[in-house]
Amino acid sequence: MQALWLEDRRLRLRDDVAPPAPSAGEAVVSVLLAGICNTDLEMVKGYYPFTGVPGHEFVGRVEAAPSAPERVGSRVVGEINASCGSCEACRAGRRTHCERRTVLGIKDRHGAFAERLTLPLQNLHDVPESVSDEAACFAEPLAAALELQEQVDVRADDRIVIIGAGKLGQLVARTLGLRARDVLVVGRDPKHLRPLLELGLRVGTASDLPDARADLVVECTGNPEGLALATRAVRPRGTVVLKSTYQGNATLDVSRLVVNEVTLVGSRCGPFVPALGLLAEGRVNVASLVHARYSLGDGLRAFEEAARPGVLKVLLDCAP
Amino acid sequence: MQALWLEDRRLRLRDDVAPPAPSAGEAVVSVLLAGICNTDLEMVKGYYPFTGVPGHEFVGRVEAAPSAPERVGSRVVGEINASCGSCEACRAGRRTHCERRTVLGIKDRHGAFAERLTLPLQNLHDVPESVSDEAACFAEPLAAALELQEQVDVRADDRIVIIGAGKLGQLVARTLGLRARDVLVVGRDPKHLRPLLELGLRVGTASDLPDARADLVVECTGNPEGLALATRAVRPRGTVVLKSTYQGNATLDVSRLVVNEVTLVGSRCGPFVPALGLLAEGRVNVASLVHARYSLGDGLRAFEEAARPGVLKVLLDCAP
């Protein structure tokens, strides 16, 4: 089958990738549409040593499901962590932290920039009729944005600052905007701030940020400047959520965290059910986040485009 | 009066320091005994730009209290943050984070390495009869050790790792040992680990530490190696409490925090009432932590001794 293939930091288009075969309890999904995420871009830069088909944001259709034939034909999105169910983390209910997990397009499992992928049936969620393919592609990053609300008690009168108005910052802003009245999004690119303003959120630049005032800061830039800004903006006993990974180590004013008794919370994959719910109810608009759509065959050009500064979501049409 | 005086990173003994005058609502306390803390040692190294009398761990006797004469003669310990009561932090109940606070021997208020100090009456706690002067000197650092239990829900079956068996690590180990069954203290100096073993705690070195297994790690070293060890030892979705300040910035594997969804919690000053309770009930033994006692007049030698590697608590007799 056709697929993008990452090896030694080089991405190429191949036509000879063997279609994945489902293990017990897994389904084969034909991919309709897939989204390029910053993690994909960073993997190409060598951030993570993955060889194979990247891609983990997708919507597709169940093509085969040996143990559940009734699911064939369903339009689905999928949780990306395939867990063993028996390690200590799984038994404790932390399945996304399974010690033996494979992760779609990230770790030991070929991903979504291909005609087909496999995932355990239990990872798949049917997509409601009312959710378009484009919107369904955002289920995974929207779930990741919602994860912080599973970890931190967000209150309606919290003063919230979101650092970064890129792909993830946009989704975090939209979801927190539904929960709290005072949300300020800090970003560099006015064209990404404008739509947030229209959603009723406040926007600004780093210089608009008062020192040590925010109850909750969400860092969505993945760069050390964003992290430094976040630790400055949060009030004593406030919380900083880290939604982005960083290349290499970042330096941090740890004494400030101690003296101000700040809590830092790392946050990764999140719950699909509420994400699909928000999309189905139209409460989170994602259409404006789509920058461009390419065919899988044009995947290399799509990656080039997605890596340009200021570009939001680039989608890949994977249906042959 | 006699006092130690810190100025331009130089500590000296002075006999001509003006005795502090109490503001409204404050008491004058004659210092009986005071303890040297790592923060004092780091202030001498220039970690914090303080000029004046250092020292914030003490037991003393109320000598004058214009607005509450009935408290004269009481043997007291004192919370070190003097708060304004009216700023946003104070109104929200975060008095130790008062935006206009002075801090005994640390910020805008002369400290305990002197014959006398002043503190607001509301900061003072009577010391129960059964608590010796030496033990009372530990009320402040013991309260700091207990602070983490106000911030983190510690469960009896949590796997806990404490990094560092110095002054603060010892107190953290003793207090967590009362709450949880599985506490491992990691330290370099066998003579500091032995007494912990006798208290029924497990002890070891960094190489005894399994990767990503601890539910809760408390970092008590204040050095970047300790911090790196803590982030390695904590399990996914576990918590690292930072009890020590660091000179300058520390580098941190932030991606690991994000991928493992670790929570990092800065922790500073804590509640005196339970600390005094533990001391009064004899549930936390601190006598073994006293390394030496010096007179205030020998304060410079006391500081030299306290700065030697492997030395635990050095106390200063401040009564003339």
Side-chain angles (χ1 to χ4, degrees), chain B residues 268-306:
Chain B
R268 188 170 39 102
C269 298
F272 270 55
V273 172
L276 283 169
L278 289 176
L279 292 171
E281 295 159 16
R283 297 184 70 205
V284 170
N285 177 297
V286 291
S288 63
L289 302 180
V290 177
H291 171 83
R293 249 172 109 149
Y294 288 81
S295 71
L296 179 58
D298 264 343
L300 298 183
R301 225 149 53 83
F303 259 75
E304 272 174 37
E305 185 68 13

Side-chain angles (χ1 to χ4, degrees), chain A:
Chain A
M1 65 174 185
Q2 195 175 53
L4 293 181
W5 188 267
L6 178 64
E7 193 166 351
D8 294 335
R9 305 186 185 199
R10 201 169 73 86
L11 191 69
R12 61 197 164 100
L13 181 69
R14 285 177 59 177
D15 285 308
D16 59 348
V17 175
S23 302
E26 291 192 346
V28 179
V29 176
S30 58
V31 183
L32 294 167
L33 204 58
I36 299 177
C37 159
N38 274 4
T39 303
D40 302 316
L41 299 173
E42 302 218 333
M43 281 192 346
V44 174
K45 288 191 221 153
Y47 155 75
Y48 192 84
F50 175 73
T51 294
V53 179
H56 57 274
E57 302 176 357
F58 75 94
V59 59
R61 207 169 281 282
V62 177
E63 190 177 288
S67 60
E70 73 282 4
R71 297 198 65 176
V72 171
S74 305
R75 194 168 59 120
V76 294
V77 291
E79 300 190 41
I80 70 176
N81 299 281
S83 54
C84 72
S86 60
C87 72
E88 188 178 304
C90 283
R91 280 182 283 121
R94 301 187 294 269
R95 298 183 71 102
T96 57
H97 293 280
C98 168
E99 295 162 23
R100 292 189 279 269
R101 70 183 178 273
T102 62
V103 188
L104 187 72
I106 295 177
K107 185 171 187 283
D108 299 336
R109 179 179 292 265
H110 294 307
F113 300 144
E115 291 173 37
R116 290 181 195 82
L117 59 81
T118 58
L119 269 179
L121 279 158
Q122 64 177 6
N123 283 43
L124 301 180
H125 296 266
D126 288 343
V127 178
E129 272 306 323
S130 64
V131 178
S132 70
D133 285 349
E134 283 202 357
C137 258
F138 287 86
E140 199 279 334
L142 188 58
L146 289 172
E147 170 73 352
L148 76 91
Q149 298 190 28
E150 306 277 312
Q151 300 172 287
V152 175
D153 183 28
V154 179
R155 281 173 296 198
D157 59 354
D158 276 347
R159 280 176 296 201
I160 297 178
V161 170
I162 296 163
I163 316 269
K167 291 186 273 293
L168 194 53
Q170 292 282 340
L171 295 174
V172 170
R174 281 160 169 75
T175 49
L176 287 176
L178 298 172
R179 289 291 297 273
R181 288 181 294 270
D182 183 354
V183 177
L184 169 65
V185 186
V186 168
R188 287 179 180 157
D189 194 334
K191 78 169 180 291
H192 292 162
L193 296 177
R194 219 169 298 124
L196 294 168
L197 208 56
E198 286 159 19
L199 290 171
L201 304 174
R202 291 193 301 124
V203 300
T205 61
S207 55
D208 297 320
L209 211 48
D211 239 44
R213 279 284 168 260
D215 299 298
L216 171 63
V217 182
V218 187
E219 206 300 289
C220 299
T221 71
N223 65 55
E225 296 79 24
L227 184 57
L229 210 56
T231 53
R232 270 213 312 281
V234 69
R235 69 158 168 83
R237 294 222 182 121
T239 300
V240 174
V241 173
L242 305 171
K243 277 296 335 168
S244 293
T245 53
Y246 297 74
Q247 268 195 286
N249 288 335
T251 57
L252 199 60
D253 183 350
V254 180
S255 288
R256 186 178 171 112
L257 300 183
V258 173
V259 170
N260 284 347
E261 297 194 305
V262 166
T263 295
L264 229 72
V265 181
S267 179
R268 188 170 40 101
C269 299
F272 270 55
V273 172
L276 283 169
L278 289 176
L279 292 171
E281 295 159 18
R283 297 185 71 205
V284 169
N285 176 298
V286 291
S288 62
L289 303 179
V290 177
H291 171 83
R293 248 172 109 150
Y294 288 81
S295 71
L296 178 59
D298 264 344
L300 299 183
R301 225 150 52 85
F303 259 75
E304 270 173 39
E305 184 68 13
R308 281 181 41 216
V311 166
L312 293 179
K313 189 62 72 183
V314 173
L315 299 174
L316 282 178
D317 272 297
C318 297

Side-chain angles (χ1 to χ4, degrees), chain B residues 1-5 14-20 53 110 114:
Chain B
M1 66 174 185
Q2 195 176 52
L4 293 180
W5 188 267
R14 284 177 59 176
D15 286 309
D16 60 347
V17 174
V53 179
H110 294 307

Side-chain angles (χ1 to χ4, degrees), chain B residues 149-309:
Chain B
Q149 297 191 27
E150 306 277 311
Q151 299 173 287
V152 175
D153 182 29
V154 179
R155 281 173 296 197
D157 60 353
D158 276 347
R159 281 177 295 203
I160 297 178
V161 171
I162 296 162
I163 316 268
K167 291 186 274 291
L168 194 53
Q170 292 282 340
L171 295 173
V172 169
R174 282 161 169 73
T175 49
L176 287 176
L178 297 173
R179 288 291 298 272
R181 288 182 294 270
D182 184 354
V183 177
L184 168 65
V185 186
V186 168
R188 287 178 179 157
D189 194 335
K191 79 170 181 291
H192 292 162
L193 295 177
R194 219 169 298 125
L196 294 169
L197 208 55
E198 286 159 18
L199 290 171
L201 305 174
R202 291 193 302 123
V203 301
T205 60
S207 55
D208 298 319
L209 210 49
D211 240 42
R213 280 283 168 261
D215 299 297
L216 171 64
V217 182
V218 187
E219 206 300 289
C220 299
T221 70
N223 65 55
E225 296 81 25
L227 183 58
L229 209 57
T231 53
R232 270 213 311 282
V234 70
R235 69 158 166 83
R237 294 222 181 120
T239 301
V240 174
V241 173
L242 305 171
K243 278 295 335 169
S244 293
T245 54
Y246 297 74
Q247 270 194 284
N249 288 336
T251 57
L252 200 60
D253 183 350
V254 181
S255 288
R256 186 177 172 113
L257 300 183
V258 173
V259 170
N260 284 347
E261 298 194 306
V262 166
T263 295
L264 229 70
V265 181
S267 179
R268 188 170 39 102
C269 298
F272 270 55
V273 172
L276 283 169
L278 289 176
L279 292 171
E281 295 159 16
R283 297 184 70 205
V284 170
N285 177 297
V286 291
S288 63
L289 302 180
V290 177
H291 171 83
R293 249 172 109 149
Y294 288 81
S295 71
L296 179 58
D298 264 343
L300 298 183
R301 225 149 53 83
F303 259 75
E304 272 174 37
E305 185 68 13
R308 282 181 39 219

